Amino acid sequence: ACEDYFGFCITAETAGAVNAAGVGGWASSSNTDCTAWAAAGAARILELPNLLPAGEQKIGVALTRIGAYTGPGTYALATTATGGAMPDQFPAIRVGSRVFNNGEGSAATVTINADGSGSLTASGLVEIDAMQGATPDPNARLDFAMQWTCRGK
């Protein structure tokens, strides 16, 4: 569920090595200015909404950012940057006790709308060491989709 006090309402799902889905909220609705968050302007870092562990399989999403955001549109995330810009950061996805992130063959695209809503899709994420639990499966791959609405000021 996404309670009224959250600024972002998020739905997420995974497919591949683990199938999971979750719904939750992020940030305070009273402190989130949706149009200012998504506004066009000089290149800046834009931190995307996180999802605290939600759903039956406890899917969580963190640490995603666009390194040189200039306004609403679609961005293909890249882990290297040119011209002094900050690199983008792929989502870190935790499903249960397993963690997935960028690896060889991974791709991710983010779309930001002027009203602060948006989506993130990632494919081919690889399992990484979660610092607890089982050893990562080197052949495991995860596809991920997340959508959000912004309902702050």
Side-chain angles (χ1 to χ4, degrees):
C2 184
E3 290 80 5
D4 290 341
Y5 52 82
F6 285 119
F8 293 95
C9 288
I10 304 159
T11 60
E13 60 185 28
T14 64
V18 183
N19 294 319
V23 175
W26 182 253
S28 166
S29 60
S30 63
N31 292 329
T32 302
D33 184 334
C34 299
T35 54
W37 179 79
R44 70 180 193 274
I45 293 172
L46 183 69
E47 303 284 348
L48 301 185
N50 292 312
L51 177 61
L52 299 176
E56 191 174 314
Q57 292 281 341
K58 298 296 182 203
I59 179 173
V61 183
L63 306 175
T64 313
R65 75 174 185 205
I66 298 170
Y69 180 79
T70 54
T74 299
Y75 296 80
L77 298 184
T79 57
T80 57
T82 58
M86 294 295 295
D88 300 322
Q89 197 163 339
F90 273 65
I93 313 294
R94 177 181 285 276
V95 184
S97 63
R98 299 174 76 180
V99 177
F100 297 83
N101 204 315
N102 182 44
E104 187 174 339
S106 298
T109 303
V110 177
T111 299
I112 305 290
N113 301 309
D115 65 0
S117 64
S119 64
L120 164 65
T121 58
S123 61
L125 299 175
V126 300
E127 189 170 8
I128 62 172
D129 189 351
M131 302 296 188
Q132 54 186 313
T135 301
D137 177 350
N139 299 312
R141 296 294 179 269
L142 190 78
D143 294 333
F144 171 73
M146 180 171 97
Q147 301 81 37
W148 65 87
T149 57
C150 187
R151 40 181 215 189
K153 331 181 208 187

